[in-house]
Amino acid sequence: MINPVLLIAIPLLLAFVSILYKGYRNNLLVFGALVNAGLVLTLGKGEYLIGGFKPPFGINLVLDDYAFLGLLVINGLFLLITLMSLDKIGENATVLLVALAGLNGLLLTGDLFNLFVFLEITAITAYILSASSRQYQHSFNYLVLGTLGSGLYLFGLILLYAVFGSLNMADLSLKMATADTSQLVIPSLLIFIGLGVEVKILPFNGWVRGVYGNSDSLVGPLFSAVYAGAMLLVFGRIFAQVIPLGAYLKTLLLLLGALTLIAGELAALSKTRIREILLYSSIGQSGLIVTLFLSGLVFPAVMQLFNNILSKAVLFTVAGQMADTTGTDDAEALQGAFARHKLAGVAFTIAGLSLIGMPLFYGFVSKINLLFGVFSLDNYWLPGVILLGTVIEGTYLIRLLVKLWMPGEEGLVSHESHATKAPLEIQRARVMGIVVLSAVLLVGGLMPGMIQNNLSESGRLLDETTPVYLFDLKGGQ
Amino acid sequence: MKKALAMLLLVLVGTLLFMGIYAMEGFRPYGEVDLAQRVSQAYIDKDVTGENPEVVYGISKDLETGSANLVTSIIVNYRSFDTLGEVTVLFLSALGVSILFGSFKGRLRSRYQPNFILRTGSKVVFPLILIMGVYIFIHGHLSPGGGFPGGSMIASAILLMYLADEAFRIRIEGFKMTEGIAGSLYVLLGLVGLTLAGYFLSNFLNTGTVGALFSAGIIPVVYVLVGLKVGSELTGIITDFLKGEVE
């Protein structure tokens, strides 16, 4: 059995080595990403100790279904995005290697302080990567907000340790389950705010516009798919599986999630720059997924999360490429752009439709699953909010797709003369990458049974000694 | 207006936090915590992996962690993985600074010229600070200190030389080399543990007698690596921050 710690150790080792052999940085990065993506497939599920000390005294890695699915998608996407945008990496190969180690650590760790360390590592790589757009003020904003967020997370964790005397997730969740929930309000709120910065929850997401809005075809998909995916999975791990929330606090946080969903989608509706539309859609989707996690609908949330990040990887790659080669990503200036780039256009369209949740695509499966889940909850306003969000999302995404395929004024017959003259180029590697991703979305939509059965065959993983990590794949916790 | 509002909000949040935390029953005042109820007691008794009689300085042998310094035993043995992470955090910060400042050449000059006494005096103190730094990280498992403070002292010696001598230059490539090698060795040490003992970063060497210089298994080795790494990284950061004047 392969120990999953290798997923963290190998990229880290390669990162240190890449300092010594600068000329081979990109080769080391591709090698690391390939090895990791291969290793994920051979992992044996279970609990792995670090240093040989049993939890809660030592640190453990937990590889259950939840972590395994996350690792599979995150490592796969990381490899694909790196290969797709190899020419954009520049000086950042070492940073990306450390980022890979950090992301895997986030998904694997079973210890809340260890999680903080990996949060720091991942966040710092994100700050450095965001600076590659040379918009230093936005990176600085992100740096300040992100650091404050990690600080608050740490503060919340200190309070938890002061009360319960443990940092291990499983141990803490057992102790917290029997504790008075009023003890947990402040620590869980602090941890929520800390993660909320990275997960893009409403009052804490001021950095997103500047960073996502200026991202290129490497940083855009990395942030919107890989980083966002890992951070949301961490959020789900903590708030759906470790920290129990009292009724009032839960309603408050649910409201914040729902508000993020509606505000994000409405903001996207009013934008004309493609990357801005997408980034507000990302915020909206984060709100939706956070809401699902908080409602205890873990499996629907994970499915919707994968739908979101697979789609966003395609959408942001194309949008970043448009901005890189034409200097603008305004939908008005780029109308009819897909007439000359049909393959990329098809991939973009599949991703967009899947994001809305159209039938034939994976998004439909996840949306149906999610709606069944939400309607089975004892909640009268949540389904309405989610449906409203979907309608708004459909409106602006379809409007965008029409614009990019059909040049012309809205409401008039489309005519070639309106088509963009912008010198848009999309490298073959990127086209291939996004075609692969959209094919995954298509296969997932056409054969939903295949994915679902494989997931449930992987079954329950951990033995009964750590009941907290058991969650039934079919219906949440 | 905006500032006043922010101020008000800050005071409000602060008060709520303060009151909320003091209302938490489980949050005990200093000294009233029952250590047996938390993980700490096992670290103190060094009996995480099994029963262990009293730990006696200079006598107890072959404990699960041979470090006489309690804090070190947690940082570099029980929770060594976190330390590897923190080392990576510093590595990344130094890397980020060097990527941002990479295009700058030359160095900033202060308005005051260092005088003869400062220049000469610093040269006398420089080796002493270096030796102190090395001493601190070599004895990290015995006395307060360790890789991070020891490494910082080494970097502070370099900073002193920069401040005292306008002409002082270092070859940054050597420090980068040290940084890369020390980092790689730390991970490799973990991988050796994985191969020999089955656990990443496990203490696979004989832990010896508590309090001896050659004891505690891989802890001193790790601390020497961390010390060298931290020293060279902070030196790199200082060098990068002193850049700026385009010559």
Side-chain angles (χ1 to χ4, degrees):
Chain A
M1 241 183 341
I2 304 276
N3 193 317
V5 78
L6 292 178
L7 291 179
I8 303 164
I10 289 179
L12 205 52
L13 180 62
L14 291 174
F16 291 136
V17 172
S18 71
I19 288 286
L20 303 174
Y21 300 100
K22 278 201 166 164
Y24 299 96
R25 280 187 301 198
N26 282 10
N27 305 23
L28 286 169
L29 171 63
V30 171
F31 176 71
L34 272 173
V35 168
N36 261 32
L39 274 181
V40 170
L41 300 174
T42 61
L43 290 177
K45 288 168 193 166
E47 187 190 24
Y48 295 84
L49 308 185
I50 305 269
F53 301 106
K54 60 180 186 286
F57 304 102
I59 296 166
N60 62 339
L61 300 182
V62 178
L63 188 60
D64 53 1
D65 265 342
Y66 187 81
F68 177 72
L69 287 178
L71 288 174
L72 192 67
V73 174
I74 296 293
N75 282 286
L77 272 176
F78 188 93
L79 173 67
L80 209 59
I81 292 171
T82 322
L83 290 178
M84 241 177 359
S85 299
L86 214 49
D87 53 320
K88 289 267 162 197
I89 287 170
E91 280 185 307
N92 287 327
T94 311
V95 180
L96 285 173
L97 275 169
V98 180
L100 183 58
L103 291 161
N104 284 325
L106 281 180
L107 298 176
L108 276 168
T109 185
D111 186 282
L112 282 181
F113 185 78
N114 198 232
L115 182 74
F116 168 72
V117 173
F118 284 119
L119 267 179
E120 263 188 305
I121 293 179
T122 321
I124 295 175
T125 60
Y127 308 146
I128 299 176
L129 286 176
S130 76
S132 66
S133 68
R134 310 235 163 242
Q135 304 282 333
Y136 296 119
Q137 195 197 341
H138 299 309
S139 300
F140 186 71
N141 268 345
Y142 182 26
L143 176 82
V144 171
L145 267 177
T147 312
L148 196 66
S150 340
L152 290 178
Y153 172 89
L154 185 63
F155 189 19
L157 181 56
I158 290 171
L159 291 177
L160 281 186
Y161 179 74
V163 175
F164 298 103
S166 175
L167 294 167
N168 185 267
M169 288 185 193
D171 189 38
L172 263 178
S173 95
L174 284 179
K175 285 180 172 158
M176 284 191 281
T178 54
D180 181 11
T181 46
S182 68
Q183 299 257 10
L184 298 171
V185 175
I186 295 221
S188 18
L189 208 56
L190 288 170
I191 290 179
F192 180 84
I193 297 174
L195 291 176
V197 174
E198 296 293 343
V199 180
K200 312 191 278 275
I201 305 293
L202 191 59
F204 322 114
N205 58 9
W207 58 273
V208 181
R209 186 170 175 202
V211 171
Y212 279 42
N214 293 303
S215 56
D216 60 14
S217 52
L218 170 72
V219 174
L222 259 187
F223 277 20
S224 63
V226 178
Y227 280 79
M231 292 299 178
L232 277 166
L233 284 167
V234 167
F235 182 91
R237 176 70 100 192
I238 292 186
F239 281 96
Q241 298 165 58
V242 177
I243 298 184
L245 293 173
Y248 289 113
L249 189 59
K250 190 166 169 177
T251 316
L252 175 73
L253 301 187
L254 269 179
L255 277 174
L256 271 183
L259 199 65
T260 310
L261 167 62
I262 296 299
E265 302 292 9
L266 280 177
L269 190 64
S270 67
K271 298 295 170 197
T272 55
R273 281 180 53 204
I274 300 175
R275 282 179 299 183
E276 286 207 325
I277 296 177
L278 295 177
L279 79 90
Y280 282 111
S281 148
S282 277
I283 292 179
Q285 288 282 337
S286 289
L288 168 62
I289 293 160
V290 161
T291 320
L292 293 173
F293 273 130
L294 288 172
S295 318
L297 299 166
V298 177
F299 184 55
V302 172
M303 281 187 79
Q304 178 61 25
L305 168 68
F306 290 160
N307 176 35
N308 178 34
I309 64 177
L310 288 171
S311 311
K312 284 286 157 54
V314 176
L315 299 175
F316 265 102
T317 307
V318 176
Q321 183 67 31
M322 286 171 165
D324 288 348
T325 54
T326 68
T328 175
D329 63 337
D330 195 282
E332 225 31 71
L334 287 163
Q335 47 185 313
F338 287 153
R340 281 184 292 131
H341 300 276
K342 293 214 168 56
L343 204 52
V346 169
F348 191 91
T349 310
I350 292 178
L353 293 178
S354 181
L355 189 60
I356 308 169
M358 287 287 176
L360 284 186
F361 308 109
Y362 174 68
F364 180 66
V365 183
S366 76
K367 204 119 249 180
I368 283 284
N369 208 308
L370 163 178
L371 286 175
F372 273 129
V374 175
F375 276 109
S376 68
L377 290 174
D378 222 7
N379 190 325
Y380 52 90
W381 55 271
L382 201 52
V385 169
I386 290 176
L387 286 173
L388 179 64
T390 307
V391 171
I392 305 174
E393 188 162 50
T395 315
Y396 64 75
L397 276 175
I398 289 178
R399 195 176 66 189
L400 174 65
L401 289 174
V402 170
K403 192 109 232 168
L404 289 174
W405 280 106
M406 308 286 217
E409 302 279 318
E410 235 171 80
L412 297 178
V413 178
S414 153
H415 195 273
E416 278 304 313
S417 61
H418 290 282
T420 176
K421 307 277 187 300
L424 174 63
E425 274 177 50
I426 304 182
Q427 277 94 330
R428 188 169 297 162
R430 279 179 211 147
V431 176
M432 273 157 55
I434 58 177
V435 165
V436 169
L437 283 173
S438 54
V440 172
L441 289 171
L442 198 58
V443 171
L446 293 175
M447 292 180 277
M450 190 186 76
I451 291 184
Q452 217 131 348
N453 290 343
N454 278 336
L455 292 190
S456 38
E457 261 168 37
S458 48
R460 315 177 157 236
L461 319 161
L462 288 182
D463 52 286
E464 264 63 36
T465 51
T466 47
V468 58
Y469 295 117
L470 292 178
F471 75 92
D472 187 359
L473 275 170
K474 284 218 167 106
Q477 214 168 350
Chain B
M1 182 61 202
K2 210 175 163 187
K3 274 185 185 162
L5 207 66
M7 210 59 174
L8 197 72
L9 203 68
L10 194 68
V11 171
L12 194 75
V13 170
T15 321
L16 279 179
L17 263 184
F18 197 78
M19 282 163 52
I21 291 170
Y22 274 83
M24 284 166 68
E25 269 173 42
F27 193 71
R28 311 300 305 164
Y30 178 77
E32 286 184 22
V33 175
D34 182 8
L35 287 187
Q37 293 295 313
R38 37 185 65 218
V39 288
S40 331
Q41 194 64 47
Y43 295 146
I44 295 170
D45 298 337
K46 302 191 194 301
D47 61 356
V48 168
T49 49
E51 281 304 303
N52 184 36
E54 203 185 357
V55 181
V56 186
Y57 185 85
I59 295 173
S60 295
K61 269 191 157 186
D62 298 329
L63 300 169
E64 57 185 16
T65 165
S67 169
N69 181 344
L70 206 63
V71 179
T72 301
S73 75
I74 297 171
I75 296 179
V76 195
N77 211 26
Y78 294 119
R79 301 187 65 93
S80 189
F81 200 44
D82 285 341
T83 306
L84 179 60
E86 290 300 346
V87 166
T88 313
V89 167
L90 192 61
F91 168 74
L92 264 181
S93 314
L95 189 65
V97 172
S98 84
I99 288 178
L100 278 179
F101 288 78
S103 50
F104 292 116
K105 297 269 182 313
R107 59 169 282 197
L108 293 173
R109 285 173 198 285
S110 70
R111 248 188 298 160
Y112 306 100
Q113 290 296 317
N115 59 24
F116 173 75
I117 293 177
L118 181 59
R119 266 205 309 276
T120 319
S122 310
K123 276 180 192 148
V124 176
V125 184
F126 177 70
L128 295 178
I129 302 181
L130 271 191
I131 291 175
M132 188 63 193
V134 173
Y135 175 86
I136 282 193
F137 66 64
I138 287 181
H139 289 74
H141 58 303
L142 301 176
S143 53
F148 282 91
S152 312
M153 288 186 83
I154 293 181
S156 74
I158 306 271
L159 177 61
L160 179 69
M161 289 312 282
Y162 267 125
L163 293 178
D165 190 355
E166 295 264 286
F168 181 75
R169 293 280 191 285
I170 52 162
R171 284 193 59 238
I172 198 67
E173 289 77 21
F175 285 92
K176 288 256 181 257
M177 193 88 104
T178 320
E179 182 186 350
I181 292 175
S184 312
L185 283 178
Y186 194 171
V187 181
L188 282 176
L189 209 60
L191 289 174
V192 170
L194 182 64
T195 333
L196 291 182
Y199 301 108
F200 188 69
L201 282 172
S202 71
N203 199 342
F204 55 86
L205 294 177
N206 193 345
T207 59
T209 313
V210 175
L213 179 59
F214 290 99
S215 70
I218 65 167
I219 292 181
V221 185
V222 169
Y223 253 173
V224 169
L225 292 177
V226 172
L228 290 175
K229 195 164 157 47
V230 169
S232 43
E233 270 156 7
L234 290 179
T235 305
I237 293 182
I238 291 169
T239 311
D240 281 327
F241 270 124
L242 282 172
K243 282 181 183 172
E245 221 170 68
V246 182
E247 281 179 328

